[in-house]
Amino acid sequence: MNSTIERIKSLKKEKNAIILAHSYQNIEIDKVADFVGDSLYLSQKAKETEAEIIVFAGVYFMAQTAKIISPEKKVLLPNLNAGCLMADMINSRQMAEFKAKNPNIPVVCYINSTAEVKSQCDICCTSSNAVEIVRSLNSPKVLFVPDANLGKYVESQLNGVEVITYEGCCPVHDDVTIKNIDDARAKYPKAKVLIHPECRPEVSSKGDYIGSTSGIIEYVKNSSDKQFVIVTEKGVAERLRRDYPDKEFVLISEKMLCESMKLTTLDEILNSLENEINEITLDEDVRKRSANCIERMLKVSK
Ligand code: 13P
Ligand code: SF4
């Protein structure tokens, strides 16, 4: 076995550590990960674990979320430059301005946001539970930050709820066009088209299935179809090809690559775990306030 992998595995035991990995990570990281999945699944695991150290193979907001809900644990992000372009589209001041412009309306924040933004919101959501979370508020209007595409997708799924969105997006998913989907359908008429709701709503509406990374993987698991067009980051298509060699997976575009997600390497995981570096820290007041909106989400989405 590769010595880096062996060393990481033995350090995990020695230090009572776990590794959480998002499905967009470099695929070799799965060899050392305890759990691989979407944002909701990983935040549930971060909350449940009895490990003393969590190494988060993902992007900054994911590791920060783990620290918010498990403050007694040491949370390490192997590469501190692994940010999220969408989360960086709204800062604390912009959040306050958006609320001031739209007063007295419940505020939902997508988990792809900073702790400072979360601390000003009522409830958090992920791509797998956004519809359920907005529905749970029972309000005719909600504010939704930062992903306008996901917010508008949620609105399309709920009768009589107005979702007022902040103008953020994931540039990787926002780039997909209706023409891309139409071309793929023409080329692969038998394929099922599986789309992440960070795509534009007019694109998402063309999918046979719309859901989070784990939702897409689950759909394939339960499907007897043999061919799929994958409309999310390429890590999902790579894992599906590995796990279902008898099925065919077409990635909608080779541009579906989240560069931040690919910054983490096995060597960096080893380095951060061995030396316990790149620890996530938070102001305790911000942590407590942002914990409220995540805990509230975890109660709705068990
Ligand atoms: P998931 O909720 O599917 O993990 O999506 C997170 C993300 O960043 C997608 O771009
Ligand atoms: Fe952020 Fe987009 Fe990367 Fe997801 S794919 S982590 S939303 S930049």
Side-chain angles (χ1 to χ4, degrees), residues 183-193 227-229 248 250:
D183 289 351
R185 285 225 185 258
K187 198 162 170 196
Y188 307 100
K190 290 200 175 126
K192 288 285 185 284
V193 178
Q227 197 181 48
F228 304 86
V229 175
E248 188 189 351
V250 178

Side-chain angles (χ1 to χ4, degrees), residues 91-292:
N91 61 28
S92 190
R93 179 186 52 77
Q94 290 163 319
M95 180 71 230
E97 285 169 4
F98 186 58
K99 278 174 66 170
K101 244 195 254 166
N102 302 281
N104 305 319
I105 302 174
V107 192
V108 181
C109 65
Y110 190 27
I111 197 163
N112 297 37
S113 53
T114 62
E116 287 73 17
V117 166
K118 287 187 178 85
S119 72
Q120 299 179 57
C121 297
D122 297 301
I123 190 164
C124 188
C125 77
T126 75
S127 65
S128 62
N129 63 16
V131 175
E132 183 191 7
I133 294 293
V134 173
R135 187 187 286 120
S136 77
L137 293 173
N138 247 324
S139 168
K141 276 188 190 183
V142 298
L143 300 188
F144 195 97
V145 300
D147 190 0
N149 289 340
L150 181 61
K152 285 297 163 193
Y153 166 71
V154 170
E155 185 177 72
S156 75
Q157 300 300 300
L158 293 172
N159 251 341
V161 180
E162 186 189 350
V163 180
I164 302 166
T165 53
Y166 182 83
E167 282 312 303
C169 72
C170 165
V172 179
H173 289 82
D174 191 62
D175 238 22
V176 182
T177 61
I178 291 180
K179 183 171 181 320
N180 293 145
I181 307 294
D182 290 345
D183 289 351
R185 285 225 185 258
K187 198 162 170 196
Y188 307 100
K190 290 200 175 126
K192 288 285 185 284
V193 178
L194 316 182
I195 305 185
H196 196 285
E198 284 178 13
C199 292
R200 293 171 185 224
E202 63 272 23
V203 169
S204 294
S205 68
K206 294 198 148 248
D208 294 297
Y209 172 77
I210 304 151
S212 74
T213 51
S214 295
I216 289 173
I217 291 168
E218 194 63 18
Y219 181 95
V220 171
K221 184 176 157 201
N222 297 323
S223 167
S224 54
D225 287 291
K226 291 281 179 213
Q227 197 181 48
F228 304 86
V229 175
I230 303 301
V231 191
T232 190
E233 210 270 349
K234 70 188 293 183
V236 171
E238 285 170 1
R239 284 171 174 80
L240 288 168
R241 287 184 193 122
R242 176 196 63 193
D243 297 340
Y244 301 93
D246 58 324
K247 299 184 190 235
E248 188 189 351
F249 301 96
V250 178
L251 183 65
I252 190 75
S253 154
E254 285 305 315
K255 286 195 289 183
M256 298 298 284
L257 174 81
C258 176
E259 287 177 9
S260 293
M261 281 282 184
K262 306 302 190 209
L263 287 176
T264 305
T265 62
L266 282 170
D267 284 337
E268 280 164 325
I269 290 178
L270 175 58
N271 186 30
S272 67
L273 182 55
E274 193 157 48
N275 301 304
E276 297 185 26
I277 54 166
N278 296 353
E279 184 178 353
I280 304 290
T281 55
L282 276 163
D283 171 86
E284 184 53 15
D285 181 48
V286 172
R287 190 201 67 75
K288 275 197 191 133
R289 284 187 289 120
S290 52
N292 287 339

